[in-house]
Amino acid sequence: PRLLSQFFFADERVTRVVAEINGLDAELDPQQYLALLNQLHLSQAHLLAVLERIMEECIPTQRHSRDYLVKFPEELLVDNLGNHMLFAAECLLAGTFLEVEEAEGAQLRPQARNLLCSLELVRTVLREQSLSQPSSYPEAVRAVLIQFDRLFAEFELSYVSSLVAVKSPEEIYRQQEIIVLFCETVERALHLGYLTQEMIDGYEPLLMFTIPRLAIISGLLIYPEGPLSLERSPEEMSRVFSPFYNLLKKIRDLLRVLSAEELCVLERSLCRAE
């Protein structure tokens, strides 16, 4: 059950697979080579997972900030992102630029080299510690873990920034405004009886359509200074709504001529499935 013991055996698996790959002629047995590469990918993922748990146990308050993750597109926030970063660093160090331009790859290579060197040092130190005192983390161990954690975070941010346009602080703030708008919309809908708490607690599928519909009306009429404010230019709005700027203006103009009773009828109709 000790994490250092788990790390020792996970590290053994990685070492064994790497040795098999190095002793194989890929041209003579390509199928076996691909199978070993897959084993390496899985064993490295397990090694990183154990290492992550060790850092959470050993240096929980000294971890490098991961606040930058909110800037990443949601499709990149997957469980194997760390393993993908490790593979990317290995490719860069080998001079292979699979996802980035050659010029950007050349700039990232020093970071990749530092990260992989740090990982090798972590593996060496943790192996030695697991064989001597597998239940403690001396200061020397903590120091190499802190360094690795920092280098990993810095490389991850730099590499992803070279692949995609990460969200700016302004875009993140706009997304937070949308979250607030949806929360206020739900609170208002509950107060007016459009929705029930049972629907929310039961994750009623209809809410996926109802809440965004009501949020558009709330954003245009009830909270006109929020994220749907049409006093802003399309460029100043969230990318969720900016493509529909002209359509939103037409909707707002139509809503403004409705009486309170007509608006209530409209909102209730929007809570239906069709």
Side-chain angles (χ1 to χ4, degrees):
R2 290 177 296 195
L3 287 177
L4 281 175
S5 297
Q6 294 179 32
F7 181 87
F8 176 86
F9 289 108
D11 187 73
E12 283 281 286
R13 281 193 289 272
V14 172
T15 302
R16 184 174 63 251
V17 175
V18 170
E20 290 184 39
I21 290 176
N22 291 336
L24 183 70
D25 190 329
E27 294 183 358
L28 293 179
D29 195 347
Q31 290 297 111
Q32 178 65 12
Y33 181 72
L34 292 176
L36 288 174
L37 282 181
N38 184 59
Q39 288 184 34
L40 179 61
H41 177 80
L42 294 175
S43 59
Q44 284 181 331
H46 179 59
L47 181 71
L48 288 178
V50 177
L51 181 56
E52 177 70 21
R53 291 167 58 196
I54 289 176
M55 289 191 291
E56 281 299 310
E57 181 178 86
C58 180
I59 54 170
T61 61
Q62 297 168 288
R63 299 293 305 271
H64 193 83
S65 173
R66 295 303 198 277
D67 290 346
Y68 59 82
L69 289 175
V70 301
K71 299 181 179 183
F72 291 1
E74 292 184 3
E75 59 268 20
L76 291 182
L77 300 178
V78 293
D79 291 338
N80 64 345
L81 179 60
N83 201 40
H84 183 79
M85 290 299 102
L86 181 59
F87 177 71
E90 291 170 340
C91 289
L92 288 172
L93 195 59
T96 304
F97 309 105
L98 296 179
E99 299 175 311
V100 298
E101 297 294 332
E102 185 172 349
E104 292 178 325
Q107 292 181 339
L108 288 168
R109 284 189 71 183
Q111 280 186 290
R113 181 182 296 106
N114 291 339
L115 172 60
L116 294 176
C117 288
S118 179
L119 177 59
E120 285 304 309
L121 178 59
V122 166
R123 291 176 64 184
T124 299
V125 169
L126 290 183
R127 281 175 64 89
E128 293 175 353
Q129 188 64 25
S130 68
L131 293 171
S132 57
Q133 293 178 301
S135 300
S136 63
Y137 299 103
E139 188 57 37
V141 173
R142 302 166 74 90
V144 296
L145 288 174
I146 291 172
Q147 181 189 47
F148 170 75
D149 189 47
R150 176 180 60 81
L151 292 174
F152 198 104
E154 291 174 352
F155 177 77
E156 185 174 54
L157 176 58
S158 299
Y159 187 80
V160 173
S161 297
S162 70
L163 293 180
V164 297
V166 298
K167 300 171 187 174
S168 66
E170 292 77 16
E171 179 64 19
I172 294 172
Y173 179 74
R174 291 170 192 149
Q175 288 188 337
Q176 292 172 337
E177 282 189 313
I178 295 173
I179 294 171
V180 172
L181 171 62
F182 273 54
C183 291
E184 291 176 336
T185 296
V186 170
E187 184 177 356
R188 176 173 174 270
L190 288 171
H191 177 72
L192 295 176
Y194 299 153
L195 306 176
T196 65
Q197 190 62 49
E198 289 74 19
M199 294 172 67
I200 296 174
D201 294 340
Y203 301 102
E204 173 63 46
L206 181 61
L207 297 179
M208 295 178 62
F209 302 97
T210 298
I211 294 176
R213 292 170 177 174
L214 295 177
I216 290 175
I217 293 180
S218 296
L220 294 173
L221 288 185
I222 313 302
Y223 311 108
E225 297 181 357
L228 284 179
S229 173
L230 298 178
E231 300 304 316
R232 305 175 180 178
S233 66
E235 293 75 21
E236 295 175 310
M237 297 179 70
S238 169
R239 287 179 287 183
V240 174
F241 296 115
S242 58
F244 310 103
Y245 184 81
N246 292 329
L247 178 59
L248 290 171
K249 289 184 69 174
K250 294 178 181 179
I251 295 174
R252 182 196 61 183
D253 294 341
L254 290 172
L255 292 174
R256 283 178 172 176
V257 303
L258 297 179
S259 65
E261 293 77 12
E262 291 171 329
L263 180 62
C264 180
V265 171
L266 172 62
E267 289 185 306
R268 287 192 179 278
S269 68
L270 292 177
C271 294
R272 298 170 186 164
E274 64 271 6

